[in-house]
Amino acid sequence: MIVTSPEFMAGLMADAEAAGITGFVAAAVINHDGRVLLVRRNPDDYMGGLWEIPSGTVEAGETILDTLHRETNEETGLTIDQVTSYIGHFDYENSRGGTTRQFNFAVTMEKTEPIALTEHDAHQWAQPSDLPEVSDAVRNLIK
């Protein structure tokens, strides 16, 4: 099964909906020279100060892949060249008290700089073995 196929994506959504998940997020794991790109949430945001991978909410009428491309570009200024693999999901409690499922994809980029942040206050390229303050789910995903 091709990871970017409509059938594969529909299956991810169907599984999440069957599990009672109501929120959906697409996220990009961007590796460059053995390091992964992390962005830090603004201090006054939900989970403020936490480092995360670029990600965002799947909007109505949007596919997971549409969201992956849009949010990565909006949050970093970078453009995805290719989605290389689906690396799994994790669920978390969102700011409204519901459950969100984050779908995570390994991607390659057209370029890795310059990074233009719009929703975060900092970025860094981190070694998977030396991550800053990230959630356990992100830490497990990157390792």
Side-chain angles (χ1 to χ4, degrees), residues 83-139:
V83 177
T84 57
S85 65
Y86 174 66
I87 51 178
H89 70 267
F90 56 81
D91 299 338
Y92 63 92
E93 184 176 326
N94 60 41
S95 60
R96 298 168 308 285
T99 302
T100 294
R101 177 158 294 175
Q102 180 168 311
F103 302 104
N104 303 286
F105 299 87
V107 300
T108 59
M109 307 308 290
E110 289 182 1
K111 310 182 289 188
T112 55
E113 56 184 39
I115 293 174
L117 300 177
T118 58
E119 300 176 22
H120 298 84
D121 69 352
H123 78 276
Q124 69 172 285
W125 291 96
Q127 295 286 345
S129 60
D130 187 27
L131 297 175
E133 185 182 346
V134 296
S135 68
D136 289 342
V138 168
R139 184 173 308 281

Side-chain angles (χ1 to χ4, degrees), residues 13-105:
M13 290 296 283
D15 290 348
E17 289 167 351
I21 306 297
T22 56
F24 309 101
V25 166
V29 176
I30 304 167
N31 283 290
H32 179 65
D33 291 338
R35 297 176 298 155
V36 65
L37 179 63
L38 297 174
V39 291
R40 188 173 62 196
R41 297 182 69 85
N42 287 313
D44 54 349
D45 281 352
Y46 179 67
M47 297 188 292
L50 195 65
W51 290 87
E52 61 186 1
I53 55 179
S55 60
T57 302
V58 177
E59 304 291 347
E62 201 174 40
T63 68
I64 297 171
L65 286 178
D66 290 341
T67 301
L68 181 67
H69 286 269
R70 177 183 54 77
E71 286 286 349
T72 300
N73 184 261
E74 284 178 6
E75 292 190 356
T76 67
L78 303 176
T79 301
I80 293 174
D81 180 49
Q82 186 176 7
V83 177
T84 57
S85 65
Y86 174 66
I87 51 178
H89 70 267
F90 56 81
D91 299 338
Y92 63 92
E93 184 176 326
N94 60 41
S95 60
R96 298 168 308 285
T99 302
T100 294
R101 177 158 294 175
Q102 180 168 311
F103 302 104
N104 303 286
F105 299 87

